Amino acid sequence: MSKGLLHHIEIYVSDLKRSIGFWSWFLEELGYMPFQEWESGQSWKIGDTYIVFVQTEERFLDISYHRCRVGLNHLAFHASSRQHVDEITEKLKGEGANILYAEQHPYAGGEDHYAVYFEDPDRIKVEVVAP
């Protein structure tokens, strides 16, 4: 039964090519598969849920995103283990991603919450949480 589960998430981005480069390896690491691709967007799917990235129209690019304003604060994904969180953290560092709360990593969410927090190219906060 899929009642209540997310069907999809659509995120408008400032530079589609840069966002695809950032998100593709990460989503595929979590088990998402490329789903749809068109001139101004691309999506990845896992089960019945998919995530879509769409190029923001040029006329809206001067309005910047900030996670503390009204709207999306962050996306949080399940990892398979603490080791998986650690592996993703190392890959993120290799990609030059901004790791948030580095001084408290991997317990920035509390001593019972093993996770990595980071930003995508548009500074959307992303979290990967161990079981």
Side-chain angles (χ1 to χ4, degrees):
M1 177 181 201
S2 59
K3 181 180 178 181
L5 297 179
L6 286 176
H7 185 271
H8 70 277
I9 298 167
E10 187 167 316
I11 301 171
Y12 275 62
V13 297
S14 64
D15 183 331
L16 182 62
K17 194 175 225 180
R18 181 177 67 170
S19 291
I20 288 170
F22 181 86
W23 283 93
S24 62
W25 73 267
F26 172 68
L27 291 172
E28 290 169 22
E29 170 72 28
L30 295 177
Y32 286 78
M33 300 299 295
F35 179 48
Q36 300 163 316
E37 184 176 349
W38 63 101
E39 184 179 338
S40 61
Q42 187 164 337
S43 66
W44 284 263
K45 187 173 186 176
I46 189 169
D48 292 329
T49 303
Y50 60 99
I51 298 177
V52 183
F53 298 92
V54 178
Q55 176 64 53
T56 298
E57 292 179 33
E58 194 167 325
R59 64 188 171 124
F60 296 119
L61 286 174
D62 62 338
I63 304 168
S64 64
Y65 165 83
H66 194 284
R67 67 180 174 270
C68 293
R69 293 173 63 183
V70 173
L72 177 72
N73 177 269
H74 71 281
L75 298 171
F77 296 89
H78 290 282
S80 60
S81 64
R82 288 182 174 205
Q83 179 180 342
H84 192 207
V85 169
D86 295 341
E87 290 167 358
I88 288 173
T89 301
E90 290 308 308
K91 288 181 182 179
L92 288 164
K93 289 178 181 177
E95 294 284 327
N98 182 28
I99 305 294
L100 300 171
Y101 325 118
E103 63 284 349
Q104 293 131 346
H105 174 75
Y107 297 104
E111 59 186 51
D112 295 331
H113 191 78
Y114 197 95
V116 61
Y117 299 84
F118 58 97
E119 290 180 326
D120 89 335
D122 286 310
R123 300 197 64 207
I124 294 173
K125 183 167 80 172
V126 184
E127 177 182 359
V128 181
V129 184

